[in-house]
Amino acid sequence: MTAGHNGGNRLLGIVERIEELEAEKAEIAAQISDEKKGAKSAGFDVKAINELLRERRMSKAEREERWAILETYRAAVGMLDGTPLSESARRRLSGEEPKPETPDASDTDETPAAPPPPLDLDAAREAGRAAARDGKRILDNPFVAGDPRRAAWDEGWCAYTGSDGMEVPPAWRRKKPGKGDGKGGESGAEAGGEPGQGASGEDEGEPE
Amino acid sequence: MTAGHNGGNRLLGIVERIEELEAEKAEIAAQISDEKKGAKSAGFDVKAINELLRERRMSKAEREERWAILETYRAAVGMLDGTPLSESARRRLSGEEPKPETPDASDTDETPAAPPPPLDLDAAREAGRAAARDGKRILDNPFVAGDPRRAAWDEGWCAYTGSDGMEVPPAWRRKKPGKGDGKGGESGAEAGGEPGQGASGEDEGEPE
Amino acid sequence: MTAGHNGGNRLLGIVERIEELEAEKAEIAAQISDEKKGAKSAGFDVKAINELLRERRMSKAEREERWAILETYRAAVGMLDGTPLSESARRRLSGEEPKPETPDASDTDETPAAPPPPLDLDAAREAGRAAARDGKRILDNPFVAGDPRRAAWDEGWCAYTGSDGMEVPPAWRRKKPGKGDGKGGESGAEAGGEPGQGASGEDEGEPE
Amino acid sequence: MTAGHNGGNRLLGIVERIEELEAEKAEIAAQISDEKKGAKSAGFDVKAINELLRERRMSKAEREERWAILETYRAAVGMLDGTPLSESARRRLSGEEPKPETPDASDTDETPAAPPPPLDLDAAREAGRAAARDGKRILDNPFVAGDPRRAAWDEGWCAYTGSDGMEVPPAWRRKKPGKGDGKGGESGAEAGGEPGQGASGEDEGEPE
DNA sequence: AATGCTCCAGCTGAGC
DNA sequence: GCTCAGCTGGAGCATT
């Protein structure tokens, strides 16, 4: 604490150094907190943002692997709720290696007519954005379920809808559930005849 | 400390009572830990089990709401990875209330011929189970993407595959990623032309 | 499905077993929570109770060792605040092994007249209890600083004061500090002369 | 990401901003970790350092209050282990306000002969430092229990002992307890004779 | 070197 | 709305 600084006191030196660093860290943490508070008061669901951040921290491959396993487990206990397994889960279960990384449309080649070039995706995204701008609804997505451009269109639509100049739509914010029933009761699905297929088509998609 | 027990010492009484309870709690926790350890050594991915448990703790409605919001956020930042929004997310974004809860097949009535009664689902599940028993692959699911029975078949298949008498399939266990690249690099989707569409149809599915 | 229960579904079995255990655990946790809530509304400082529980979890030997190290570190950075090192810390620094475990009064033999037999301690404790009963103050402890009976008298006094039939004294409950200044500024000890004389600031265990 | 940056996407903006901040935070955390690792390999007990840091985070007043309550609770359940209550705890129990804050030696003036001016403390500290330099032991502290200079001497001794140029003494590092017995069995204090003499002069001071 | 364990910080949910 | 206790996930550590 004196000159060089603390008078040759090793422990004090360590402690003070750490305290400085922790002060910096606390400052950053406060900034993060502020940012989230701002997001919250703008109408965003902070919890979902946290989840999003967590997902972004993992690589895509890891994300997919974990997701595939989880889906499989859900299926095994009867909790799919009407959503079929995703392709990556099917691939895993078939013993195929994670992902052939087919830059070209290898698995869509059964669609003889149009091997949709990647470019299409950007176009679809832009179309979605434009649609949102024109006041179209998300239901107006023109692409069918299996079409990769369907997702791109969705992305464009959502990106525009949440863009600045616009209010955060009510659907983006979480309404307090007022304490749900607590259990989905999926385990009964096995026994009971009626499988809450309320889920019905989870993402089947109407044909354009 | 004397008779009844601690000699009229309130604090000691409180502390001892809590300690007893904590001992019981610790015992239960140990049992849980054992159970998970057993699961792990049987080949299950404990982390995924934990996630499954978390999901089961919420009601189905809540689960869907959170999921819908998360999907929307993913879309807005371009992380859909080829998976289009699910139906419940679309419903939310359209301002429709959570879910009409149509136990009867109201939303599938566009299929004029066969309003598939819930029974179908059980049949599909059983079919999936039988298929697994016969050594069929998950890819042999005969139902098309939009069909709710597709999920049921998957459930049956997975339930059988993970049943006793059978080894836990390798796909159910997590392989160490050996430290992934760290970031998927999705943000580049906006700019770049090539949108890892390897994802392509996430779960469109070939029609048998 | 039927049999034992879940139809030979291993994962489901695991999950359900864990859920049962977690339900039990949650029940215990609720009881603990209630107990603490009761203590709080009786005027106790729950945080201090938690700390007490933590200390009781470690053996006396471990508690002393940790304490000795911490004291030494405090001394080295000038945070003793007027409290000299305890004997166990001195022993450690002298290289003596943890504790001679002298059941008889080995180090008090410098008190030539009375090697106080253990009985004295009980008597002192009882005296403290009686003093409290008679409305004496804690300051009336008749034993001098170095006398082991001083602590025993304190114990008796406190045990009686907190006994049932009596209100929990105001001093036992924590008054909100109104957000302290955040730093003690002990590092100034090097420069400043005045050490917080009384003593006190000992430490707690780690606050969870 | 493009222009201003992300194309007017609010959510993406938030997320990216947070990610930047978290990256900074992680960097600081790594530095802290390094610092602690260094301390450890120099022979310090990192856990004790963490505890020290925690204590330094609270104001002295808060630290004293918490400590006083905890001591009182320990006394009430018979866990004093021979250490009498500290002065601040006594003050609390007597209903006196936290601390008279006597800058001058008010509570030592009952020592008629020498009202030790604060300067003495620095002298004592220096004496302790010199003693350590000369190879004296901590046991050679010349001040008696009640003397505030006793603590100052200890501080000087410890500060020197841990100063650079010197190896961290073995007593400063924690030896693994090899899993303690789990409970001290303090409640047996009533029965046992052993008055944890270590207490000796803990922080007594005035003779009754 | 890999595995399992322990410990810590950060996050989540409940209470005031 | 804020704080606080509990808890889960991650990291370091010891061990085989």
Side-chain angles (χ1 to χ4, degrees):
Chain A
M1 222 344 111
T2 57
H5 50 324
N6 60 73
N9 190 322
R10 289 166 69 181
L11 184 57
L12 188 53
I14 291 168
V15 163
E16 287 177 344
R17 174 88 186 112
I18 294 178
E19 279 176 340
E20 285 167 28
L21 291 167
E22 287 200 331
E24 292 179 47
K25 198 175 106 175
E27 195 184 351
I28 310 278
Q31 285 179 262
I32 292 176
S33 181
D34 285 352
E35 195 72 22
K36 287 184 183 175
K37 199 168 302 184
K40 182 196 182 76
S41 61
F44 290 97
D45 178 36
V46 177
K47 210 160 178 181
I49 290 182
N50 285 332
E51 177 86 19
L52 195 61
L53 288 166
R54 244 181 37 209
E55 289 185 6
R56 282 169 70 97
R57 270 192 283 268
M58 351 186 189
S59 72
K60 188 180 164 188
E62 189 183 1
R63 215 188 307 156
E64 282 200 351
E65 176 173 22
R66 291 168 74 117
W67 183 249
I69 296 179
L70 185 54
E71 268 186 323
T72 311
Y73 286 11
R74 275 205 214 100
V77 299
M79 276 179 74
L80 278 186
D81 285 343
T83 314
L85 292 177
S86 67
E87 272 317 295
S88 53
R90 286 177 201 281
R91 257 182 274 118
R92 256 188 93 88
L93 288 168
S94 309
E96 295 171 14
E97 262 321 289
K99 169 173 74 170
E101 193 59 76
T102 50
D104 50 342
S106 68
D107 57 2
T108 52
D109 59 355
E110 62 248 8
T111 318
L119 270 301
D120 264 5
L121 289 173
D122 283 340
R125 203 182 323 265
E126 200 41 57
R129 191 180 288 272
R133 194 181 308 118
D134 297 345
K136 296 277 187 63
R137 320 204 78 178
I138 185 78
L139 300 172
D140 298 327
N141 188 327
F143 301 102
V144 296
D147 192 324
R149 291 168 303 176
R150 183 171 172 83
W153 195 96
D154 284 343
E155 286 183 355
W157 192 92
C158 287
Y160 181 81
T161 304
S163 290
D164 47 17
M166 312 205 54
E167 224 354 65
V168 168
W172 290 43
R173 82 192 52 171
R174 179 122 198 279
K175 26 188 169 305
K176 281 289 166 56
K179 215 55 192 158
D181 55 348
K183 213 44 163 313
E186 284 72 18
S187 54
E190 196 83 25
E194 200 285 337
Q197 92 301 33
S200 65
E202 194 62 14
D203 62 8
E204 77 308 337
E206 59 283 15
E208 170 163 2
Chain B
M1 210 149 253
T2 56
H5 51 323
N6 61 73
N9 190 322
R10 289 167 69 181
L11 184 58
L12 187 53
I14 291 168
V15 162
E16 287 178 344
R17 175 90 186 110
I18 294 178
E19 279 177 342
E20 286 167 25
L21 290 167
E22 288 199 330
E24 293 179 45
K25 199 175 107 175
E27 194 185 351
I28 310 279
Q31 285 178 260
I32 293 177
S33 181
D34 285 351
E35 194 73 21
K36 287 184 183 174
K37 197 169 305 185
K40 182 196 183 76
S41 61
F44 290 97
D45 178 35
V46 178
K47 213 160 177 179
I49 290 182
N50 286 331
E51 177 87 17
L52 194 61
L53 288 166
R54 241 179 44 208
E55 289 186 5
R56 283 168 70 96
R57 271 192 283 269
M58 345 186 195
S59 71
K60 188 179 163 188
E62 190 183 0
R63 216 189 306 156
E64 282 199 349
E65 176 174 21
R66 290 167 74 120
W67 182 248
I69 296 180
L70 185 53
E71 266 188 322
T72 312
Y73 285 12
R74 274 206 215 99
V77 300
M79 278 179 72
L80 279 188
D81 283 341
T83 315
L85 292 178
S86 68
E87 273 315 297
S88 53
R90 285 175 202 282
R91 258 184 271 117
R92 255 188 94 89
L93 287 168
S94 309
E96 294 170 16
E97 261 322 287
K99 148 178 94 170
E101 191 61 74
T102 49
D104 49 341
S106 68
D107 57 2
T108 51
D109 59 356
E110 63 249 9
T111 318
L119 270 301
D120 264 4
L121 290 174
D122 282 340
R125 203 183 322 266
E126 201 40 58
R129 191 179 290 272
R133 194 180 308 119
D134 297 345
K136 296 278 188 62
R137 319 204 78 178
I138 185 78
L139 300 170
D140 297 328
N141 187 327
F143 301 101
V144 297
D147 192 324
R149 293 167 303 176
R150 182 171 173 84
W153 194 96
D154 284 342
E155 286 183 355
W157 192 93
C158 287
Y160 181 82
T161 303
S163 290
D164 46 20
M166 312 206 52
E167 222 356 64
V168 168
W172 289 43
R173 82 191 52 171
R174 180 125 196 277
K175 29 189 167 304
K176 280 286 168 57
K179 217 54 192 161
D181 56 348
K183 215 44 163 312
E186 285 72 18
S187 54
E190 194 86 25
E194 199 287 337
Q197 88 304 25
S200 67
E202 194 62 15
D203 62 11
E204 78 305 339
E206 62 283 18
E208 166 173 9
Chain C
M1 285 125 242
T2 53
H5 50 319
N6 61 72
N9 190 323
R10 288 168 70 183
L11 184 57
L12 188 52
I14 291 167
V15 162
E16 287 177 344
R17 174 91 186 108
I18 294 178
E19 279 176 342
E20 284 166 27
L21 290 167
E22 287 199 331
E24 293 178 45
K25 196 176 110 176
E27 194 184 352
I28 310 277
Q31 284 178 262
I32 293 176
S33 181
D34 284 352
E35 194 73 21
K36 288 184 182 174
K37 196 169 305 183
K40 184 195 183 76
S41 61
F44 290 98
D45 179 36
V46 178
K47 214 159 176 178
I49 290 181
N50 286 330
E51 208 148 314
L52 194 60
L53 288 166
R54 207 169 318 117
E55 289 187 5
R56 283 168 71 96
R57 270 192 284 268
M58 339 185 200
S59 70
K60 189 181 163 186
E62 188 182 1
R63 214 188 307 155
E64 281 199 351
E65 176 173 22
R66 290 168 75 117
W67 182 249
I69 296 180
L70 185 53
E71 267 187 321
T72 311
Y73 285 12
R74 275 207 215 98
V77 300
M79 276 178 74
L80 278 187
D81 284 343
T83 313
L85 292 178
S86 67
E87 275 313 299
S88 53
R90 284 175 203 283
R91 258 184 275 117
R92 254 189 94 88
L93 288 169
S94 308
E96 295 170 15
E97 262 320 288
K99 112 185 126 171
E101 191 61 74
T102 50
D104 49 341
S106 67
D107 59 1
T108 52
D109 58 355
E110 64 248 7
T111 318
L119 269 301
D120 263 3
L121 289 174
D122 284 342
R125 202 182 323 265
E126 200 41 57
R129 191 180 287 273
R133 195 180 307 118
D134 296 344
K136 297 277 186 63
R137 321 204 77 177
I138 185 79
L139 300 171
D140 297 327
N141 188 327
F143 300 102
V144 296
D147 193 325
R149 293 167 302 177
R150 183 173 172 84
W153 195 96
D154 283 343
E155 286 184 355
W157 192 92
C158 287
Y160 181 81
T161 304
S163 290
D164 46 17
M166 311 202 54
E167 221 357 64
V168 168
W172 289 44
R173 82 193 50 171
R174 180 126 199 277
K175 25 187 170 307
K176 280 286 167 57
K179 218 54 191 160
D181 56 348
K183 213 47 161 315
E186 282 72 19
S187 53
E190 196 85 24
E194 200 284 338
Q197 78 300 16
S200 51
E202 205 68 7
D203 127 286
E204 72 286 13
E206 65 267 19
E208 109 188 87
Chain D
M1 196 144 258
T2 55
H5 48 323
N6 60 73
N9 190 323
R10 286 168 70 183
L11 184 57
L12 188 53
I14 291 167
V15 162
E16 286 178 345
R17 174 90 185 109
I18 293 178
E19 279 177 341
E20 285 168 26
L21 290 167
E22 288 199 331
E24 293 179 45
K25 198 174 104 175
E27 193 184 353
I28 310 278
Q31 285 178 261
I32 292 176
S33 181
D34 284 351
E35 194 73 21
K36 288 185 182 173
K37 198 168 304 185
K40 183 195 182 75
S41 60
F44 290 97
D45 179 34
V46 178
K47 213 160 177 181
I49 290 181
N50 286 330
E51 207 149 311
L52 195 61
L53 288 165
R54 211 170 312 119
E55 288 187 8
R56 282 168 71 97
R57 271 192 285 268
M58 322 188 213
S59 70
K60 186 181 165 188
E62 190 183 359
R63 215 189 307 155
E64 284 198 350
E65 176 172 22
R66 290 169 74 120
W67 182 248
I69 296 180
L70 185 54
E71 267 187 324
T72 310
Y73 285 12
R74 274 206 215 100
V77 299
M79 277 178 73
L80 278 188
D81 285 340
T83 314
L85 292 177
S86 68
E87 274 316 296
S88 54
R90 286 174 202 282
R91 258 183 273 117
R92 255 189 94 89
L93 287 168
S94 309
E96 293 170 16
E97 262 321 289
K99 119 186 119 168
E101 191 62 74
T102 50
D104 49 342
S106 69
D107 57 2
T108 51
D109 59 356
E110 61 245 10
T111 316
L119 269 302
D120 265 3
L121 290 172
D122 284 341
R125 202 181 323 266
E126 201 39 59
R129 191 179 288 272
R133 195 180 308 117
D134 296 346
K136 297 277 187 62
R137 319 204 77 176
I138 185 79
L139 300 171
D140 298 326
N141 188 327
F143 300 102
V144 296
D147 193 324
R149 292 167 302 178
R150 183 171 172 84
W153 195 96
D154 283 342
E155 286 183 356
W157 193 93
C158 287
Y160 181 81
T161 303
S163 290
D164 46 18
M166 310 203 56
E167 223 352 68
V168 168
W172 289 44
R173 82 192 52 171
R174 181 123 200 277
K175 24 186 170 306
K176 277 289 165 56
K179 214 52 190 161
D181 56 348
K183 214 47 161 313
E186 284 68 23
S187 53
E190 196 87 25
E194 201 284 337
Q197 82 299 26
S200 66
E202 190 68 10
D203 61 10
E204 73 318 330
E206 69 282 13
E208 163 177 11

